[in-house]
Amino acid sequence: MPHTIEAAKTGRASCRSCKQTIEKATLRFGEEVPNAFSPGEMTFQWHHLKCASEKRPAALKQALEETEMEIPEKEDLLKTCEVSGKNQKPTTFPYAEHAPTGRASCMGCSEKIEKGDLRVAIEKEMDAGAFAGKSAGYLHPACAPDHTGEEPVDLFEKIKANTLNLEDSDMESLEEEICG
Ligand SMILES: [Zn+2]
Ligand SMILES: [Zn+2]
């Protein structure tokens, strides 16, 4: 897992959420993101744990569940992650959502994805010369494993970890559609 929790080694980094300095030896959450200044390399963006539980709930939740460190107030942080996650759109691909419009076509089968249907969002490389970059691409859940080349179960687990704002019943139908 690319995210990490550690005690700050210096007091120089500031929190991406609240912009305040993260004091040396304070526990901080690092989210691994592509380095904008050095293509192909990764770098960490740091957050106070409390701030991350509000702004990066899915990522922090995964890190809290995986870390072997003793985290004071871990239960409270996890609860905040749940609550914040319910109220915001996922920030990490792949995730699932209800299609807000019926305009997007599936990258797998090229058919339209109906408004309101569950869809899987993945990161799409755009190759448009100077405008090359990344954006979201959408898939029918059933088309997602083939298109991404991932095992259905692995893909579903990733989506589940990144998606905190859907109902349990939505996650169940998603699992059925992806895993067949
Ligand atoms: Zn902060
Ligand atoms: Zn499709």
Side-chain angles (χ1 to χ4, degrees), residues 13-92:
S14 49
C15 172
R16 300 290 293 205
S17 302
C18 70
K19 316 294 179 208
Q20 306 288 314
T21 302
I22 301 173
E23 294 193 15
K24 187 172 176 177
T26 310
L27 287 177
R28 62 183 183 178
F29 165 70
E31 184 173 29
E32 196 174 38
V33 295
N35 187 338
F37 304 103
S38 178
E41 280 182 32
M42 302 296 283
T43 184
F44 282 108
Q45 288 183 348
W46 300 103
H47 302 258
H48 293 110
L49 294 185
K50 180 79 176 48
C51 295
S53 70
E54 288 160 7
K55 303 289 187 195
R56 319 295 295 168
L60 180 67
K61 183 164 178 268
Q62 290 168 58
L64 283 170
E65 283 165 353
E66 291 187 7
T67 187
E68 284 167 8
M69 290 178 72
E70 280 286 324
I71 313 287
E73 298 174 9
K74 184 170 175 176
E75 291 306 312
D76 285 347
L77 287 167
L78 281 168
K79 265 191 213 124
T80 310
C81 290
E82 292 276 341
V83 174
S84 325
K86 286 257 177 272
N87 297 315
Q88 57 181 258
K89 206 173 135 86
T91 51
T92 310

Side-chain angles (χ1 to χ4, degrees), residues 106-111 113 139-140 143:
C106 173
M107 291 168 74
C109 67
S110 305
E111 303 277 331
I113 301 173
L139 289 157
H140 294 112
C143 299

Side-chain angles (χ1 to χ4, degrees), residues 94 120 122 139 143-151 155:
V120 173
I122 60 168
L139 289 157
C143 299
D146 264 359
H147 185 81
T148 57
E150 297 215 43
E151 285 297 320
L155 180 64

